[in-house]
Amino acid sequence: QSLELFQAGLSWDLILKKRPTTVAAFDQFNVDTVAAYKAKDVKRLLGDAGIIRNKLKVASIIENAKRIQALRQTDVGGHGGFAAWIAAHHPLNRAEWTKLFRQTFKFMGSEIVNEFMMCIGYLPGAHHEDCMAYKRIAKLSPPWMQVDPKVFADG
């Protein structure tokens, strides 16, 4: 489970440039390691020019790691983990996913939720139907292809 999705809100170009140093600074986004960060870790991170040094973003990444742990450690609603939590809420459209992520995690914008959910196969739109990647993806029958496309209409 990756916490990379919790490091946005700025230009994608900047995020991508800082990705390698951010991944390293946050211990490869290992959920349990990040959730255990203490004040000394926050100080280290805020002094690291290789990452986006925003105190609220750093705090939210640590908090979101704790929330992912909580999803793992509880069976409330039959989830039992982050992936199972996502599967339990499928299908939702982009606006509904954004609302759910904002209720559950900190610093969740619609663009980052959309990109993440497309990346893991729960929202359509990553590729056009005439794209070679689309054809490869279709063979895998991702979750978004298993429901009526009308589900994904916002509004």
Side-chain angles (χ1 to χ4, degrees):
Q1 296 168 337
S2 177
L3 290 173
E4 286 182 87
L5 74 127
F6 302 115
Q7 182 59 38
L10 301 163
S11 78
W12 283 109
D13 187 49
L14 179 62
I15 298 300
L16 292 174
K17 284 180 183 175
K18 292 191 177 259
R19 184 178 187 269
T21 51
T22 301
V23 170
F26 280 94
D27 295 293
Q28 281 60 53
F29 288 110
N30 178 284
V31 171
D32 297 319
T33 302
V34 174
Y37 280 0
K38 304 290 184 219
K40 67 179 174 67
D41 299 296
V42 173
K43 185 176 180 179
R44 170 185 59 82
L45 290 164
L46 294 176
D48 187 339
I51 71 166
I52 296 174
R53 296 178 289 179
N54 177 303
K55 150 170 45 171
L56 295 175
K57 287 184 181 295
V58 168
S60 71
I61 291 169
I62 297 166
E63 177 59 29
N64 288 334
K66 292 175 184 177
R67 292 180 185 194
I68 288 175
Q69 280 183 322
L71 287 173
R72 260 198 239 143
Q73 296 169 356
T74 183
D75 200 23
V76 175
H79 301 136
F82 187 46
W85 175 81
I86 289 170
H89 289 91
H90 176 66
L92 298 175
N93 66 31
R94 177 182 175 159
E96 293 165 333
W97 278 119
T98 300
K99 182 178 178 182
L100 179 63
F101 268 76
R102 283 182 173 160
Q103 290 170 344
T104 309
F105 299 102
K106 297 178 81 64
F107 257 100
M108 289 287 107
S110 62
E111 190 62 29
I112 197 67
V113 172
N114 182 58
E115 293 295 323
F116 177 69
M117 297 310 290
M118 281 193 302
C119 178
I120 64 170
Y122 281 86
L123 283 177
H127 300 277
H128 296 285
E129 287 187 38
D130 59 351
C131 173
M132 292 299 292
Y134 182 94
K135 292 172 176 127
R136 287 191 309 271
I137 291 166
K139 289 178 184 176
L140 300 173
S141 187
W144 69 266
M145 285 187 146
Q146 299 173 23
V147 298
D148 184 339
K150 291 177 189 167
V151 166
F152 303 113
D154 287 333

